[in-house]
Amino acid sequence: MGKAIVITSGKGGVGKTTTTANLGAGLAALGQRVALVDADIGLRNLDLFMGLENRVVYHLVDVVEGRTTWKKALVRDKRLENLVLLPSAQARDKDAVSPRQMQQLVQEIKQEYDFVLLDCPAGIEGGFKNAIAGADQAIVVVNPEVSSVRDADRVIGLLEAEEIGGISLIVNRLKPSMVKRGEMLAIKDIVDLLAIDLLGIVPEDEGIIIASNRGEPISLDQNTKAGQAFRNISRRLLGDDIPFIDWQDDDSFFSRLKKLFGVGS
Amino acid sequence: MLEEAVLFKGTREGIHIYLNDEVEFPQVVNSLEHRLASSRNFFKGARVVINTGQRTLSAEQVATVSSVLKEYEGVQLIRLEQSKPQAPPAIPREMTALIVEKPVRSGQQLYHPGHVIVIGDVNPGAEIVAEGNVIVMGALRGIAHAGYGGDKSAFVVANLMSPSQVSIAGILARQPDDEFSDAKMGPEIARLRNGQIVIEPCQRAIYE
């Protein structure tokens, strides 16, 4: 039986859906059977990130209300055949399903997939409770900002209260140059405060916006920093020991030139 | 505590006469007669309420008091009352300690009618309220309230003291707005001195 992992953050706009799409593609590219579940009912986005919008026929609420089976509602990815998506409903809201129904659904999907990734809505109300109901583990996505870290702390407290097993952290949108200037929270300070395991660090990358708009997960793109980061996280989820890339390491042309000549650090 | 055997107090209802319950009854009666006699005119036609303090008068004693009053023309005893029994002095109770073995996170509130010991951090947005002391074996960045019931000797100790607010027995101090950096490392103690919260290193506080 597979593992159900909820991707959550408390605060909106920190990259939950991006993370879900990219880890899903990353794990599937490593040969895992992966089901993505868009638990953000009413604000259906995950299908856009995956470029699968036109293929959506049934959604999560249809399954819960018995209009179809979960297997029929799944949308198969166009790139990876072992990756599927259970889309959310756009015209309904979070009250259309209950935590108990979600739990049951996730339990059934887990029987046939190695990973069930649940994309959680922002906030800590009903939608959040639905999304975490069936989860065995949680990934908390945080941006290196005070408000994001504060909300993540609150969410971790709620996850702990629900006795969700492994809770790990992804720091998303790190701007190495700002950290260097001391204008952004350092990774160490975030991890110290939240006191959970660090799963990965994803640097800010304009390519993510381009990739999302095109509906192509960036983790499948070999030439981007963010894609590399998501691939590394996917491998860590499988238990591989991958060292963290030091994104603070300046990678500009000038610094590479300096390195070449053995000047500087 | 009344020092005199008898005390007069004017109220809208009339004159309240307090009979000191710590003085022997005959002496009280004596003093009452004496005081009435010395201001005979004042009591003419007065409405009088007798308060016997904690003492319960016997029928005989009531008769004695009213016979004293009857000697004065027009004095009218409207009521005989007894003060409410005072609560016995509070015996300081043994305080228990609540030990929390994980970080206290934003949005979590914790109340305990004794001491609270946190093995971990108290994060910003978290709140600890204890009737006793608060001890944080980690960084205190949230809100701590020690001596919640009013115990002014309560204190807050943290390995890294950087609370957004700290209160002791209802007296509050908050982090200065211009203090961006974290507090210095090393345990510090917050407690009341002359009605103000003072934060200082633990060592100094112990040796003083």
Side-chain angles (χ1 to χ4, degrees), chain A residues 181-203:
Chain A
R181 293 197 299 268
E183 291 164 349
M184 195 171 244
L185 293 177
I187 302 286
K188 185 186 172 298
D189 292 342
I190 299 171
V191 175
D192 278 356
L193 186 100
L194 296 179
I196 58 174
D197 291 336
L198 181 64
L199 184 62
I201 305 159
V202 183

Side-chain angles (χ1 to χ4, degrees), chain A residues 150 153-154 156-157 160 193-194, chain B residues 105-108 123-124 141:
Chain A
R150 185 71 59 92
D153 192 38
R154 174 96 171 96
I156 294 165
E160 284 172 346
L193 186 100
L194 296 179
Chain B
R105 299 184 181 278
S106 174
Q108 295 178 336
N123 283 350
R141 296 195 176 95

Side-chain angles (χ1 to χ4, degrees), chain B:
Chain B
M1 207 57 59
L2 304 173
E3 280 175 12
E4 288 176 79
V6 175
L7 198 86
F8 296 117
K9 231 180 201 172
T11 67
R12 269 164 59 184
E13 204 178 2
I15 297 167
H16 275 70
I17 303 177
Y18 294 91
L19 307 183
N20 191 339
D21 55 12
E22 289 192 344
V23 178
E24 292 292 316
F25 187 71
Q27 205 186 322
V28 170
V29 175
N30 218 337
S31 175
L32 178 65
E33 282 179 321
H34 184 76
R35 293 285 299 274
L36 287 171
S38 65
S39 43
R40 182 173 286 271
N41 288 332
F42 179 73
F43 286 99
K44 214 171 229 176
R47 293 154 62 84
V48 168
V49 175
I50 299 273
N51 184 305
T52 62
Q54 300 296 311
R55 181 170 17 215
T56 312
L57 296 186
S58 66
E60 204 181 319
Q61 288 171 324
V62 174
T64 312
V65 171
S66 38
S67 74
V68 169
L69 291 174
K70 268 179 199 145
E71 286 176 30
Y72 298 88
E73 198 189 327
V75 173
Q76 198 187 347
L77 178 61
I78 56 170
R79 193 157 40 124
L80 199 68
E81 64 176 31
Q82 205 174 339
S83 301
K84 278 185 197 130
Q86 280 164 0
I91 302 155
R93 66 201 152 87
E94 294 275 311
M95 279 194 178
T96 58
L98 175 71
I99 300 177
V100 184
E101 290 180 61
K102 54 183 184 183
V104 187
R105 299 184 181 278
S106 174
Q108 295 178 336
Q109 288 176 315
L110 214 143
Y111 164 79
H112 183 64
H115 310 297
V116 173
I117 302 168
V118 181
I119 317 291
D121 295 348
V122 176
N123 283 350
E127 190 173 351
I128 304 231
V129 178
E131 291 193 11
N133 305 319
V134 177
I135 297 160
V136 180
M137 307 296 281
L140 170 59
R141 296 195 176 95
I143 296 174
H145 195 159
Y148 183 67
D151 179 5
K152 291 193 160 116
S153 66
F155 57 79
V156 177
V157 167
N159 274 358
L160 193 150
M161 181 76 83
S162 185
S164 54
Q165 286 177 7
V166 60
S167 298
I168 289 165
I171 295 168
L172 183 138
R174 71 172 170 83
Q175 173 128 199
D177 287 330
D178 53 3
E179 198 160 299
F180 285 114
S181 60
D182 251 352
K184 16 184 190 322
M185 286 303 289
E188 290 187 292
I189 182 168
R191 57 181 174 184
L192 282 182
R193 282 198 182 181
N194 306 322
Q196 277 205 316
I197 293 180
V198 176
I199 297 180
E200 56 197 344
C202 277
Q203 284 89 342
R204 194 192 306 158
I206 290 165
Y207 292 131
E208 259 174 29

Side-chain angles (χ1 to χ4, degrees), chain A residues 16-225:
Chain A
K16 285 179 295 293
T17 306
T18 306
T19 301
T20 309
N22 282 295
L23 293 187
L27 285 165
L30 292 168
Q32 300 293 308
R33 293 168 301 163
V34 183
L36 306 179
V37 177
D38 191 346
D40 195 349
I41 300 167
L43 293 170
R44 195 177 86 193
N45 279 167
L46 189 52
D47 53 324
L48 300 177
F49 281 64
M50 301 298 296
L52 299 173
E53 188 191 11
N54 299 338
R55 305 181 191 208
V56 174
V57 180
Y58 293 111
H59 52 68
L60 197 150
V61 178
D62 288 331
V63 176
V64 166
E65 292 179 349
R67 279 187 291 277
T68 183
T69 63
W70 63 268
K71 283 186 186 173
K72 277 187 191 154
L74 293 180
V75 180
R76 194 160 298 280
D77 186 66
K78 50 191 177 189
R79 294 147 295 233
L80 298 153
E81 63 165 326
N82 47 346
L83 178 62
V84 294
L85 166 70
L86 178 57
S88 156
Q90 181 72 342
R92 301 293 293 270
D93 69 27
K94 61 183 192 309
D95 300 323
V97 300
S98 71
R100 201 194 177 88
Q101 288 168 324
M102 282 298 285
Q103 202 172 5
Q104 203 175 350
L105 175 64
V106 171
Q107 190 65 26
E108 284 173 31
I109 302 176
K110 254 167 44 178
Q111 308 291 334
E112 299 192 20
Y113 286 85
D114 301 314
F115 284 93
V116 180
L117 302 185
L118 297 142
D119 184 19
C120 183
I124 53 173
E125 296 84 20
F128 169 78
K129 293 195 173 94
N130 282 337
I132 68 168
D136 307 308
Q137 295 180 15
I139 293 174
V140 175
V141 183
V142 71
N143 290 167
E145 293 166 21
V146 174
S147 60
S148 172
V149 173
R150 185 71 59 92
D151 291 358
D153 192 38
R154 174 96 171 96
V155 157
I156 294 165
L158 296 171
L159 293 168
E160 284 172 346
E162 292 293 322
E163 288 173 354
I164 289 194
I167 305 173
S168 52
L169 182 71
I170 292 180
V171 180
N172 190 24
R173 291 209 177 144
L174 184 83
K175 290 199 182 79
S177 56
M178 282 182 77
V179 175
K180 215 167 196 181
R181 293 197 299 268
E183 291 164 349
M184 195 171 244
L185 293 177
I187 302 286
K188 185 186 172 298
D189 292 342
I190 299 171
V191 175
D192 278 356
L193 186 100
L194 296 179
I196 58 174
D197 291 336
L198 181 64
L199 184 62
I201 305 159
V202 183
E204 173 89 338
D205 191 334
E206 286 180 0
I208 288 205
I209 300 168
I210 300 164
S212 314
N213 287 344
R214 283 193 193 144
E216 287 168 1
I218 203 166
S219 56
L220 300 176
D221 183 343
Q222 301 295 326
N223 301 318
T224 58
K225 284 182 180 180

